Amino acid sequence: MNLSFFDQFTTPSLLGIPLILIAMLFPTLLIPSPNNRWITNRLSTIQSWLLHLITKQLMIPLNKKSHKWAMILTSLMTLLLTINLLGLLPYTFTPTTQLSMNMALAFPLWLATFLTGLRTQPSISLGHLLPEGTPTPLIPALILIETTSLLIRPLALGVRLTANLTAGHLLIQLISTAAIALLPIMPTISLLTTSILMLLTLLEVAVAMIQAYVFVLLLSLYLQENT
């Protein structure tokens, strides 16, 4: 019984071939490509408005040198948002519940921001490892602590996204299983459990959107430190 709860996090496969790549690329096919018409439909208008809003919110704290990252961060935000929301549908697979995928997104982007800081302003980037005015006996310990906190950033990005989505999916499955099991025995309690499940689903929709935003926002803050 316990193993069945985690079956939803198993990567689907067909003839032994993992289908996680299709699960990652399919959400991008749902986003219509922009056209050059003056008059567009409502879907294209809403899409353009959302992309403009996301880009504006991400680029406000950054300087002009960092605006070249706008396409990368906006595309990442759109990808995570669509994958997280589509993963809440029944009989679907959520690639962002896999720690390997989240780390594959977090580590290269974090490393790119760190290397950008070392290339453009090496003294300031390395200066974060040792706060100004530190007593001499504490210098080795503080350098070790700051280095550890710096290297743990990509791990925190990946684990945060994985843990929040995995916990939400498990909680939804547990409550839905309880509602079905209680239906023939205690219908009233089952209806109450179902209403709680509906509220939890709305909460998970908000969590899916917030976690995608937090993932990209932290990357933009790391970029701000290094530019």
Side-chain angles (χ1 to χ4, degrees), residues 106-126:
F107 184 77
L109 292 173
W110 167 82
L111 185 61
T113 60
F114 181 67
L115 293 179
T116 300
L118 289 180
R119 182 173 60 88
T120 57
Q121 46 182 17
S123 58
I124 297 178
S125 297
L126 295 177

Side-chain angles (χ1 to χ4, degrees), residues 76-133:
L76 179 62
M77 175 73 179
T78 306
L79 177 66
L80 292 177
L81 190 60
T82 51
I83 288 178
N84 292 349
L85 292 178
L86 289 176
L88 294 174
L89 297 176
Y91 303 104
T92 57
F93 172 70
T94 312
T96 46
T97 56
Q98 306 294 314
L99 182 61
S100 58
M101 173 187 166
N102 296 333
M103 290 302 299
L105 291 174
F107 184 77
L109 292 173
W110 167 82
L111 185 61
T113 60
F114 181 67
L115 293 179
T116 300
L118 289 180
R119 182 173 60 88
T120 57
Q121 46 182 17
S123 58
I124 297 178
S125 297
L126 295 177
H128 292 302
L129 301 179
L130 184 63
E132 186 177 357

Side-chain angles (χ1 to χ4, degrees), residues 123-210:
S123 58
I124 297 178
S125 297
L126 295 177
H128 292 302
L129 301 179
L130 184 63
E132 186 177 357
T134 304
T136 304
L138 297 179
I139 288 179
L142 280 180
I143 291 179
L144 182 61
I145 292 173
E146 292 296 330
T147 303
T148 304
S149 65
L150 179 66
L151 297 177
I152 209 173
R153 284 181 175 181
L155 181 63
L157 281 176
V159 170
R160 181 187 295 108
L161 182 59
T162 304
N164 282 281
L165 295 181
T166 302
H169 283 66
L170 281 176
L171 194 56
I172 287 177
Q173 186 169 359
L174 286 171
I175 294 180
S176 60
T177 303
I180 295 174
L182 291 174
L183 184 59
I185 305 174
M186 293 178 287
T188 305
I189 303 299
S190 178
L191 292 176
L192 180 61
T193 307
T194 304
S195 62
I196 296 176
L197 179 62
M198 295 296 104
L199 295 176
L200 179 62
T201 304
L202 294 177
L203 177 63
E204 285 305 313
V205 171
V207 169
M209 299 172 65
I210 291 172

